[in-house]
Amino acid sequence: MNYDYIIVGAGMGGLSAGLNLAFNHKKVLILEKNSLPGGFVTTFKRGRFEFDTSLYDLMDYGRDNHVGSLQRLFKKYNIELDPLLIPYNIRIKSLDDNFEEVIKGEIDDWVLRLEEMQSGSMSTFRSLLPVLKEIHEALNALRKNRKNIEKDFPNFIKYLDKNAYEALLDLNIPDKTIHVLGYIWIEIGSPLNKLSFIDFAECMYKYIFKRPVALTEKSIDLSLKLAKRYEELGGKIHYRSCVSEIKDIDGKKEVILTDGTTYKAKEVICNLSERYVFKNLIKENHPFANQKENARTLSMNGLVIYLGLNKSYQDLKLYNYRYYQFQNLNSATNIKSMKKFSHHTIEAIVPNIVNESCSPKNTTILVLKTLYMSDVWNNVNKTNYYQTKEMLANELIEEFENAFNIDIKEYIEEMEIATPFTFEKYTNSINGNIFGYMRLGYDNSIHRLISYEEERIPHLSFVGSSSLFGSGVDNAFYSGYYITEKLLEEERRND
């Protein structure tokens, strides 16, 4: 069976790639090993609760006056959403600094609060805003191959190779304010002293100007909607189709499933990390693949606890949409502590704050997460796996209760614990990695973008969170669009 393109994996990057190719009348097949699309963007049920695995903030969708790239692409494919704007409602606690604060209200409200915490924050933060906008515009120009980047966007060039901490200091942001604002590093998966300022600035731009939104539907509904539209455009998707090998045969790519079924295409697009593909699916040795792997650092994996509570969030006094606890506000110090099981970094989210209908009446969904660096879970095996995850889950619940003086344990009706092994099994992510590769000074999204043509492997492309733009639904989806646009341009040049 021959196709123009075969896509391995129906995550956000794979679905996006399939949509754009089918929209352009190509013969496309998506192979997905699970029985549903979406990858990390999926849903599962326990009792009367339906839990979203990961998607609680949809970035770069935007609003009417600040339409995001994701919304534009959805409109292009005639995909409609009815999202809810997420308020700024974040509670942050740092143990070593004896710091606790709620960032709430509109942008002006929490800028005033930053000023109260650290004199001088307001004026320097306001001077940061045009820099964020310039970098956002420069990124768009670069993606469109515009000339005169150096002339038109001097701040982009100035901060291209600086990490977020260096750049913010250079922009006269007070040190304490940097670390308070820098809580966002945990959502990107890289500490401020290593995270590319360009990636940090783009993420901040989306938070401030376009504002994240939440879905009124479940994550799996979004994934199914995308898959349905892809099929309406003429694309095919085969579920329960696990790929065992990709190889070159007579100038074409041959994709072989575990059951022996074989498909051929001129191009294969993988919604998987390059490390996984070259370790498990491809036997040839590609020098560019080795070079990139040597230059890249896997980001964090984590333990996630999904809790269905039999009381309303008001009764439980869960008044904030997101909660963060750190050992201290310095992200570099926190990363070091994440190399052991027990540390004090906690993320929590209460989706009912934005969408009360996400769980049955007078109930609450609470999702707790803690992250790990390196190979912390390598010593866990079949004999101690269940004991370890139960112990860590109980510790995390207790620490959250103590940190924010909230009682939840006695109200737990349903609980599911997902470990790095859970995510690795479902998504084929290396070590259960959640954020793809860290976006570091020497391996940020801009360097990946600039070197794309030079490092391209013939007839093999990669999309998703491990691709050009890093983690996040918006970045994964946009990678599928960007890569397929490049492939279509290449086709037109060769015709």
Side-chain angles (χ1 to χ4, degrees):
M1 288 169 275
N2 293 301
Y3 291 86
D4 296 324
Y5 295 88
I6 291 174
I7 300 167
V8 182
M12 286 296 107
L15 289 171
S16 173
L19 276 163
N20 198 37
L21 292 169
F23 185 83
N24 282 278
H25 313 293
K26 301 300 175 183
K27 188 179 179 183
V28 193
L29 171 66
I30 296 179
L31 299 170
E32 169 56 49
K33 76 165 189 170
N34 296 303
S35 56
L36 290 168
F40 280 105
V41 182
T42 190
T43 307
F44 66 92
K45 292 183 179 180
R46 292 294 181 271
R48 58 180 178 149
F49 293 90
E50 188 172 4
F51 296 97
D52 289 308
T53 305
S54 63
L55 180 54
Y56 299 102
D57 299 74
L58 188 59
M59 300 288 289
D60 206 19
Y61 190 82
R63 301 164 279 168
D64 291 340
N65 56 337
H66 282 288
V67 176
S69 300
L70 193 62
Q71 187 177 162
R72 290 192 187 95
L73 285 177
F74 281 9
K75 286 183 176 178
K76 174 181 177 178
Y77 304 130
N78 198 25
I79 295 166
E80 295 293 330
L81 294 185
D82 183 25
L84 299 166
L85 188 67
I86 294 175
Y88 293 115
N89 185 357
I90 300 160
R91 189 171 173 183
I92 303 172
K93 181 171 183 176
S94 171
L95 300 178
D96 289 353
D97 309 280
N98 195 26
F99 171 88
E100 186 165 0
E101 192 55 58
V102 174
I103 297 176
K104 198 171 184 179
E106 290 304 307
I107 185 70
D108 288 340
D109 298 320
W110 58 273
V111 170
L112 285 170
R113 189 68 195 104
L114 287 173
E115 178 67 20
E116 290 174 13
M117 285 187 281
Q118 180 70 51
S119 177
S121 295
M122 182 186 294
S123 59
T124 54
F125 183 80
R126 293 201 182 283
S127 68
L128 172 66
L129 297 181
V131 177
L132 301 181
K133 186 177 180 183
E134 180 186 322
I135 286 172
H136 173 73
E137 290 172 352
L139 286 170
N140 284 338
L142 188 63
R143 290 165 186 162
K144 294 174 182 176
N145 296 318
R146 256 182 58 187
K147 308 299 181 184
N148 300 320
I149 298 290
E150 296 89 344
K151 179 183 176 182
D152 296 338
F153 306 105
N155 280 310
F156 175 78
I157 300 302
K158 179 179 180 181
Y159 295 116
L160 181 59
D161 286 323
K162 285 190 179 293
N163 66 50
Y165 186 69
E166 290 172 332
L168 291 169
L169 281 178
D170 188 69
L171 289 161
N172 298 313
I173 307 293
D175 191 72
K176 184 175 181 179
T177 307
I178 290 174
H179 292 303
V180 174
L181 284 174
Y183 79 87
I184 200 173
W185 74 270
I186 200 78
E187 301 297 336
I188 306 176
S190 304
L192 293 180
N193 68 331
K194 292 186 177 180
L195 173 63
S196 159
F197 178 67
I198 302 300
D199 287 317
F200 176 84
E202 177 70 349
C203 191
M204 285 294 292
Y205 177 87
K206 293 174 184 177
Y207 262 111
I208 293 169
F209 293 104
K210 297 185 180 179
R211 296 286 293 275
V213 299
L215 300 179
T216 52
E217 55 194 354
K218 289 295 181 180
S219 296
I220 190 60
D221 296 321
L222 171 62
S223 299
L224 288 169
K225 189 178 289 187
L226 298 175
K228 180 183 178 183
R229 184 63 185 134
Y230 159 74
E231 290 180 304
E232 288 172 351
L233 290 167
K236 289 188 177 181
I237 183 166
H238 292 174
Y239 296 106
R240 299 186 182 278
S241 298
C242 187
V243 175
S244 63
E245 188 174 0
I246 300 171
K247 58 184 181 179
D248 291 310
I249 299 289
D250 299 327
K252 284 197 170 186
K253 288 289 184 185
E254 191 171 85
V255 180
I256 304 167
L257 304 186
T258 51
D259 66 3
T261 305
T262 300
Y263 302 97
K264 290 183 179 180
K266 63 182 180 183
E267 183 87 23
V268 170
I269 300 170
C270 293
N271 190 179
L272 298 162
S273 76
E274 294 181 40
R275 183 173 299 185
Y276 177 85
V277 170
F278 284 101
K279 181 180 178 182
N280 298 281
L281 305 182
I282 292 180
K283 310 305 178 185
E284 301 95 359
N285 188 19
H286 289 272
F288 280 135
N290 294 334
Q291 288 174 24
K292 281 193 282 188
E293 277 304 310
N294 289 334
R296 288 187 170 180
T297 304
L298 280 175
S299 192
M300 297 167 283
N301 57 30
L303 178 85
V304 185
I305 309 168
Y306 303 92
L307 297 172
L309 308 174
N310 58 20
K311 262 197 171 186
S312 71
Y313 69 90
Q314 297 97 331
D315 289 338
L316 293 166
K317 299 180 180 179
L318 286 164
Y319 299 129
N320 305 103
Y321 185 62
R322 281 192 177 273
Y323 294 79
Y324 296 92
Q325 177 184 275
F326 301 107
Q327 181 64 48
N328 61 59
L329 290 175
N330 189 311
S331 58
T333 304
N334 276 280
I335 281 283
K336 290 178 183 177
S337 71
M338 290 178 187
K339 294 181 179 179
K340 56 186 179 182
F341 266 133
S342 295
H343 58 81
H344 302 290
T345 298
I346 300 174
E347 293 181 70
I349 190 161
V350 187
N352 303 71
I353 294 288
V354 175
N355 181 11
E356 292 201 27
S357 65
C358 73
S359 68
K361 189 175 181 180
N362 294 322
T363 68
T364 303
I365 286 175
L366 174 65
V367 181
L368 299 176
K369 179 168 68 175
T370 192
L371 300 173
Y372 302 99
M373 284 297 295
S374 189
D375 54 359
V376 176
W377 280 82
N378 281 11
N379 293 325
V380 178
N381 53 47
K382 290 181 180 179
T383 59
N384 63 3
Y385 173 69
Y386 291 102
Q387 179 184 359
T388 300
K389 77 171 189 175
E390 293 283 347
M391 176 194 70
L392 292 172
N394 287 329
E395 284 181 2
L396 190 59
I397 292 168
E398 188 172 328
E399 183 155 15
F400 177 80
E401 289 183 314
N402 294 335
F404 299 104
N405 195 27
I406 295 170
D407 295 325
I408 58 174
K409 195 175 294 182
E410 62 183 294
Y411 305 110
I412 297 173
E413 182 178 321
E414 296 292 341
M415 180 169 73
E416 185 66 28
I417 307 166
T419 70
F421 296 117
T422 311
F423 295 119
E424 183 174 20
K425 180 180 179 181
Y426 191 80
T427 66
N428 285 340
S429 61
I430 299 294
N431 295 335
N433 176 268
I434 297 172
F435 300 98
Y437 297 102
M438 295 176 81
R439 283 172 272 184
L440 307 177
Y442 56 84
D443 182 40
N444 59 51
S445 58
I446 299 304
H447 288 179
R448 296 177 195 178
L449 194 64
I450 292 170
S451 60
Y452 167 75
E453 295 290 351
E454 178 186 342
E455 296 180 350
R456 170 148 159 66
I457 296 168
H459 311 299
L460 182 67
S461 300
F462 293 87
V463 298
S465 64
S466 294
S467 184
L468 296 174
F469 307 117
S471 60
V473 169
D474 57 316
N475 287 327
F477 198 87
Y478 192 73
S479 75
Y481 173 76
Y482 182 87
I483 293 294
T484 50
E485 281 293 291
K486 288 289 187 183
L487 295 173
L488 291 168
E489 286 174 16
E490 188 177 300
E491 272 196 45
R492 288 191 286 269
R493 285 196 304 268
N494 294 334
D495 284 345

